[in-house]
Amino acid sequence: NAGVTQTPKFRVLKTGQSMTLLCAQDMNHEYMYWYRQDPGMGLRLIHYSVGEGTTAKGEVPDGYNVSRLKKQNFLLGLESAAPSQTSVYFCASSEQGGNSPLHFGNGTRLTVT
Amino acid sequence: GQSLEQPSEVTAVEGAIVQINCTYQTSGFYGLSWYQQHDGGAPTFLSYNALDGLEETGRFSSFLSRSDSYGYLLLQELQMKDSASYFCAVRRSGNTPLVFGKGTRLSVIA
């Protein structure tokens, strides 16, 4: 039981390049989330999904897109990376909303030069 | 919107007790959660309070007062391994996502 797995762990991009961050969970959770974490800013929600085929915007969605084609996978895309997107990205999942705790992946450290 | 306030840093002595406060403003409230994150690691769930009062889990306790929009995390018998960042988080309703505070960095010293 791997929990939540994120790939890659590290990535360096040049401004304007694109990439996709992958998140997979094996707990059959309905809800999945993408957060970014910057020093002193806590965890800020980018996008989330309440079930297969659904997505919704969070606090800081600009510059990102997501897809949830399969229940176990939640993809985060950067179409044209900018230095402001340098951050640590965490994927999380939860069984449902309500009081279901979030289970986090180990994060992807992205640097955009 | 939602906003959460918690101290940015707290330092405490090994073996002591420390309290990390969290005040929140939110339109709608569906519980206060706490998460722990060690440097370089992922956040992990600690506790959840939906109703007023104290919830205890081993050395950790969490308190909620909905009328005061306030909660705290209490860590007893501090150990060096408790040095980490602690985040409070709230949901506006049952099917909306968690919004996190900026975190409190706890340093436990000998």
Side-chain angles (χ1 to χ4, degrees):
Chain A
N1 192 340
V4 179
T5 303
Q6 292 183 231
T7 53
K9 290 184 171 56
F10 302 93
R11 185 73 187 269
V12 178
L13 288 179
K14 295 189 173 167
T15 298
Q17 287 184 318
S18 64
M19 78 163 293
T20 300
L21 281 66
L22 309 178
C23 178
Q25 52 96 3
D26 61 2
M27 297 172 282
N28 201 36
H29 285 172
E30 288 294 331
Y31 285 48
M32 296 187 75
Y33 316 81
W34 276 105
Y35 288 89
R36 62 176 287 175
Q37 186 172 37
D38 304 291
M41 298 297 291
L43 291 151
R44 293 184 292 169
L45 183 67
I46 305 171
H47 287 281
Y48 67 102
S49 167
V50 300
E52 181 179 314
T54 75
T55 63
K57 294 180 180 179
E59 302 169 68
V60 288
D62 294 344
Y64 305 94
N65 57 74
V66 288
S67 65
R68 184 102 182 265
L69 298 179
K70 292 184 178 181
K71 185 176 184 179
Q72 62 267 35
N73 297 332
F74 196 29
L75 280 59
L76 178 71
L78 286 72
E79 290 184 349
S80 179
S84 61
Q85 293 177 305
T86 294
S87 188
V88 180
Y89 292 85
F90 285 100
C91 175
S93 71
S94 64
E95 192 172 334
Q96 295 174 2
N99 63 349
S100 300
L102 268 61
H103 298 258
F104 283 85
N106 287 326
T108 296
R109 186 174 294 275
L110 176 66
T111 302
V112 182
T113 62
Chain B
Q2 294 159 277
S3 67
L4 299 98
E5 295 289 331
Q6 51 181 132
S8 57
E9 294 182 12
V10 172
T11 301
V13 178
E14 190 176 17
I17 299 173
V18 71
Q19 178 174 313
I20 299 174
N21 298 320
C22 175
T23 57
Y24 58 87
Q25 287 186 317
T26 178
S27 54
F29 176 78
Y30 200 93
L32 180 70
S33 300
W34 289 92
Y35 285 75
Q36 178 192 60
Q37 184 182 29
H38 288 99
D39 284 349
T44 57
F45 172 76
L46 286 178
S47 68
Y48 172 78
N49 294 69
L51 302 176
D52 292 351
L54 194 67
E55 295 278 345
E56 299 182 57
T57 309
R59 295 187 296 114
F60 292 8
S61 303
S62 56
F63 172 82
L64 175 65
S65 169
R66 288 173 296 170
S67 60
D68 295 323
S69 299
Y70 164 76
Y72 65 73
L73 181 68
L74 191 74
L75 295 80
Q76 303 182 70
E77 301 173 15
L78 280 172
Q79 302 175 9
M80 300 300 283
K81 67 178 182 179
D82 297 329
S83 293
S85 292
Y86 293 84
F87 296 88
C88 58
V90 296
R91 286 186 198 271
R92 200 170 64 243
S93 68
N95 61 356
T96 56
L98 272 180
V99 174
F100 286 82
K102 294 183 178 180
T104 299
R105 186 175 183 87
L106 171 65
S107 298
V108 180
I109 58 175

